Amino acid sequence: MKFSGKHALGILAALLLVAGVVKLAVSDDYSGRGQQMMAGDKEAEEVKVRRAQPSNPEWLEECSACHIAYPPRFLPAESWREIMVGLGDHFGSDASLDVKTAGEISAFLEQNARRRKTTPDASGKYPLRITDSRWFRREHARAASRVKDDPKLRNLANCGACHMQAESGSFSEHDVRYPF
Amino acid sequence: MSRVFVSLVFAMVTGMAAQPAVAETPAEVLAIFKAEAVGTPGFKDFSAVRGAEFFKNKHGGEWSCASCHTDDPAAQGKHAKSDKLIKPLAPSANPERFTEMKKVEKWYKRNCNDVLDRECTAQEKGDVLTYLLTIGK
């Protein structure tokens, strides 16, 4: 096959197209902000990304009795371990479970816990409240000040007040509706 | 002919087995509490009036049963801390209530600890259930 200018143009176009597709595929820049992403933003974007939600029937039934079943990815395994050991006094309420069910739920939580490194505080403690996590506070700085002034909202533990799909484990920004 | 008969019986049995299993009825749960309470000192026949009073009393603490389940157990309740909605407690309003002893014991244990800082006695559990069974009747 004779190599001609026409072919060269076609090959160049194809190469550019492939390069563009490859760039899109490897980019994790969902917001289009590109190089302007700051240090905490990648984490924030991660939180917003929809992904397949791990689930477990015991966890769903037992842990959504009094609040939404908070997704295991919101806390590190160390935190879940401490929570599961202290169910008799679970933030002021008795949430005790039989040993077998507790074991199954613990395993599920630890297997699907937050994998990004969480630094414990100065005394070596891991956050027990999701609302005390650094990533959470970063994400909810603005919401926190609005919630404080609203008698109906009380605190940020009730995800469903703003996150319309919280019960299905999705916290995408697209599904947020502010009640204030 | 016998093959048809066997198949029919098989189908019947599997059909019955496929029903959702209701472990107990509220009446059976009440009978279990009665059997436990009868031997204890000071036992009195279960009373809806005593159960109602027990249900609405804060027992010296912050919460009563009614704090979450409301003064009308046939109504939807709300968790006093998390605001999570709670389905009605009275069996007349919610046929799933008191049909699984494991669940009944779990919630009595937790909620009596929250309200009274101790477990409820079989007498108390029986009084409360007797009261709940009068709701909506």
Side-chain angles (χ1 to χ4, degrees), chain A residues 61-62 64-68 91-98 101 152 154 158, chain B residues 63 78-86 102-103 106-107 109-111 113-114:
Chain A
E61 180 171 339
E62 296 296 344
S64 65
C66 304
H67 52 59
I68 68 145
F91 302 104
S93 288
D94 185 336
S96 48
L97 278 170
D98 63 276
T101 311
K152 279 201 311 288
R154 279 217 258 194
N158 179 11
Chain B
W63 291 346
K78 194 165 83 155
H79 196 283
K81 238 172 136 175
S82 70
D83 287 341
K84 170 111 196 220
L85 297 176
I86 301 172
K102 189 176 170 207
K103 224 171 154 178
K106 178 178 80 177
W107 282 108
K109 175 179 192 282
R110 287 176 175 179
N111 293 159
N113 265 332
D114 282 344

Side-chain angles (χ1 to χ4, degrees), chain A:
Chain A
M1 179 178 96
K2 256 216 221 143
F3 188 70
S4 77
K6 241 196 332 205
H7 286 133
L9 207 58
I11 289 165
L12 184 63
L15 275 173
L16 281 172
L17 186 66
V18 169
V21 168
V22 169
K23 183 177 189 299
L24 273 175
V26 300
S27 161
D28 60 357
D29 171 12
Y30 300 99
S31 67
R33 284 183 284 159
Q35 301 306 318
Q36 285 110 33
M37 289 181 95
M38 311 278 274
D41 285 6
K42 181 139 197 280
E43 201 167 304
E45 290 299 294
E46 227 177 73
V47 169
K48 289 175 199 167
V49 167
R50 287 178 198 266
R51 46 172 103 98
Q53 307 296 336
S55 189
N56 171 283
E58 268 78 35
W59 161 76
L60 194 58
E61 180 171 339
E62 296 296 344
C63 305
S64 65
C66 304
H67 52 59
I68 68 145
Y70 299 112
R73 70 180 187 273
F74 285 174
L75 284 173
E78 291 89 343
S79 301
W80 289 126
R81 227 167 276 143
E82 203 176 321
I83 286 171
M84 290 304 290
V85 151
L87 284 178
D89 181 4
H90 182 63
F91 302 104
S93 288
D94 185 336
S96 48
L97 278 170
D98 63 276
V99 171
K100 180 166 178 283
T101 311
E104 285 170 22
I105 293 174
S106 293
F108 166 74
L109 289 171
E110 292 185 39
Q111 277 158 30
N112 295 282
R114 178 180 165 83
R115 283 201 194 87
R116 282 182 75 97
K117 186 171 183 338
T118 306
T119 321
D121 68 14
S123 53
K125 287 192 176 292
Y126 290 88
L128 293 188
R129 292 179 190 275
I130 292 162
T131 50
D132 284 341
S133 310
R134 280 193 203 95
W135 68 263
F136 184 92
R137 288 189 160 163
R138 243 192 329 263
E139 279 298 294
H140 294 84
R142 188 166 63 99
S145 59
R146 304 299 284 268
V147 161
K148 225 169 11 103
D149 300 326
D150 190 323
K152 279 201 311 288
L153 289 178
R154 279 217 258 194
N155 57 38
L156 290 166
N158 179 11
C159 313
C162 301
H163 289 277
M164 302 292 108
Q165 298 297 321
E167 285 207 17
S168 61
S170 169
F171 293 80
S172 160
E173 204 172 5
H174 300 296
D175 299 319
V176 171
R177 305 278 180 274
Y178 296 113
F180 40 74

